[in-house]
Amino acid sequence: MIKAEYSRYVLHFKEPAITSRQTMTEKETFFITLRDEKCPSLFGIGEAAIFRGLSADDRPDYESALSALCDDINNGSVNLVRDSDGAYTLNNGYRHLYSSIMFGLESAVVDLNIRSGHCPPSMVPWEKGESAITINGLVWMGNSQQMLKRIDEKLSAGFKCVKLKIGGIDFNDEMRLLSYIRERFDKSRLLLRLDANGAFTPDNALERLDALSRYDIHSIEQPIRAGQWESMAAICADSPIPIALDEELIGSHNTDFKRLMLDTIRPQMIILKPSLCGGLSDAREWCDEADRRGIGWWYTSALESNIGLNAIAREVSSLAVEGRPCASWPQGLGTGNLYTNNIPYPLHLDSDRLTRLQ
């Protein structure tokens, strides 16, 4: 029988992480551990990566929900059944109310299976260190000088795709930074992604997108705040820059909701953060629905530790093995070096390629 427990951990940023919404110096997270009673040394670990201030999971009873889940697993209410090969699976159709808890539980089950010798075939290349994931270089907000320094660091490190968070400083200063980049690297040498985190308004979004388009922007995430479907649909239809939905995916895990939202807004791309959009299974369903509509996608971490980052990398690598074209795009998995006390894990970043060491 499998026994579950959880523990709380606080990650400390090397320097303040600034978005248009908040400034963070630390990030709370939780780890779910599953152990086989018959073999206590055999375990699987996953990360319930709550994102305070952004996630729909940010509720007072979050830790109580984690405790209740562990109790349900321990008393058999939530069954981890074994298939004919001995691999563990969750009850068919099981979904936890909290997206990040679902991600932690699902990734713990995957980890338990891999450690017990039941690695899904599509994940074998990642586990053996035989595959690499191309990632974008993330440039956090700061003042102009700080952002310029961070841009130089990413370009010097060899990133071929850089993502800038914008909306935190003067818009003209941000355009000067983009101009600086394009003076050194044209679009054939460097993809430029932007993340506005909802910093624009429906009234000024198209004007700003038009101004930004002169810098050959690959895509921009969430130009206006989530929940304004009619305005977002109009922006997606008229924007000179492809629009990627991010926060728009947070909060509902219903299949009909996914289809309605994609059909109503018709974005060019979506950003998948399993901790925020329903867990691994729901993120994959978003992929399926996007693929059916010709909508691009890529995965991004939600500031997880290396535990959660590895779980997402496993999934992306698996999707690549399955032949999903978007899995070869630069993914947003470059957050492993943000913390002073990250969990040691055999992840290795060489220029813009993330691998798992043996």
Side-chain angles (χ1 to χ4, degrees):
M1 182 176 179
I2 296 297
K3 291 294 185 181
E5 61 183 8
Y6 79 92
S7 59
R8 179 178 180 270
Y9 192 77
V10 178
L11 294 155
H12 298 284
F13 286 93
K14 293 178 180 177
E15 54 184 293
I18 304 171
T19 72
S20 60
R21 288 185 303 270
Q22 60 183 316
T23 298
M24 298 171 286
T25 58
E26 62 181 33
K27 183 184 181 296
E28 178 185 32
T29 196
F30 295 85
F31 299 116
I32 298 173
T33 303
L34 304 176
R35 294 186 184 275
D36 190 327
E37 277 191 311
K38 295 181 179 179
C39 183
S41 62
L42 177 60
F43 70 94
I45 187 168
E47 183 171 2
I50 177 115
F51 199 133
R52 300 289 186 188
L54 175 63
S55 173
D57 294 359
D58 187 5
R59 306 179 196 179
D61 66 343
Y62 184 82
E63 197 163 348
S64 297
L66 263 174
S67 179
L69 171 66
C70 292
D71 289 343
D72 287 343
I73 292 173
N74 294 337
N75 65 30
S77 298
V78 174
N79 290 325
L80 288 170
V81 297
R82 305 191 78 170
D83 62 22
S84 58
D85 294 324
Y88 290 99
T89 59
L90 284 167
N91 302 48
N92 289 335
Y94 177 80
R95 291 289 184 274
H96 198 279
L97 174 64
Y98 291 91
S99 180
S100 57
I101 292 178
M102 189 67 192
F103 170 62
L105 177 57
E106 288 178 314
S107 53
V109 173
V110 172
D111 196 53
L112 176 65
N113 281 326
I114 290 174
R115 292 175 189 269
S116 64
H118 297 90
C119 184
S122 60
M123 291 184 183
V124 170
W126 176 256
E127 293 302 315
K128 289 187 174 182
E130 297 171 351
S131 65
I133 298 170
T134 302
I135 67 171
N136 60 226
L138 178 63
V139 177
W140 284 93
M141 286 180 181
N143 59 41
S144 296
Q145 291 74 25
Q146 289 172 326
M147 291 187 72
L148 191 61
K149 178 177 179 290
R150 293 166 187 166
I151 290 167
D152 277 331
E153 289 171 350
K154 297 301 180 186
L155 297 180
S156 297
F159 282 91
K160 301 176 185 64
C161 177
V162 171
K163 171 180 158 181
L164 278 71
K165 287 186 173 289
I166 63 171
I169 62 175
D170 182 76
F171 183 66
N172 290 322
D173 287 342
E174 290 172 336
M175 288 202 295
R176 279 190 282 272
L177 288 170
L178 295 172
S179 179
Y180 167 80
I181 295 173
R182 279 296 177 233
E183 286 172 1
R184 298 178 64 191
F185 299 93
D186 65 23
K187 65 179 181 180
S188 68
R189 298 180 62 196
L190 181 72
L191 287 180
L192 263 178
R193 290 174 174 169
L194 302 179
D195 184 359
N197 286 124
F200 303 159
T201 68
D203 291 333
N204 70 18
L206 285 174
E207 179 183 356
R208 294 200 166 189
L209 290 166
D210 185 61
L212 292 168
S213 66
R214 72 188 70 165
Y215 302 112
D216 295 314
I217 306 301
H218 170 267
S219 58
I220 183 167
E221 298 176 31
Q222 207 68 42
I224 64 174
R225 290 190 178 274
Q228 306 174 83
W229 285 18
E230 184 176 348
S231 295
M232 187 67 86
I235 291 169
C236 288
D238 296 334
S239 173
I241 300 173
I243 302 298
L245 301 186
D246 182 356
E247 288 90 341
E248 209 74 61
L249 278 61
I250 299 171
S252 178
H253 315 147
N254 180 275
T255 301
D256 290 337
F257 171 89
K258 295 181 178 74
R259 293 170 177 168
L260 178 63
M261 192 270 279
L262 294 176
D263 289 337
T264 300
I265 299 178
R266 298 300 303 177
Q268 285 76 29
M269 304 166 192
I270 58 174
I271 309 301
L272 300 166
K273 297 175 178 174
S275 292
L276 299 177
C277 68
L280 292 171
S281 54
D282 268 272
R284 184 170 280 251
E285 187 175 58
W286 278 111
C287 285
D288 294 341
E289 296 298 334
D291 284 346
R292 292 187 184 103
R293 292 162 174 79
I295 295 171
W297 51 263
W298 66 86
Y299 276 71
T300 298
S301 64
L303 301 181
E304 291 89 354
S305 75
N306 281 335
I307 300 297
L309 190 62
N310 181 68
I312 301 172
R314 278 173 173 162
E315 181 70 2
V316 172
S317 179
S318 180
L319 288 163
V321 170
E322 293 172 15
R324 304 287 188 104
C326 291
S328 65
W329 290 10
Q331 308 291 309
L333 304 181
T335 56
N337 294 322
L338 291 177
Y339 304 112
T340 60
N341 63 334
N342 207 337
I343 305 299
Y345 216 80
L347 294 176
H348 177 65
L349 184 60
D350 181 13
S351 184
D352 63 350
R353 293 170 66 79
L354 182 70
T355 58
R356 178 188 169 95
L357 297 177
Q358 291 302 292

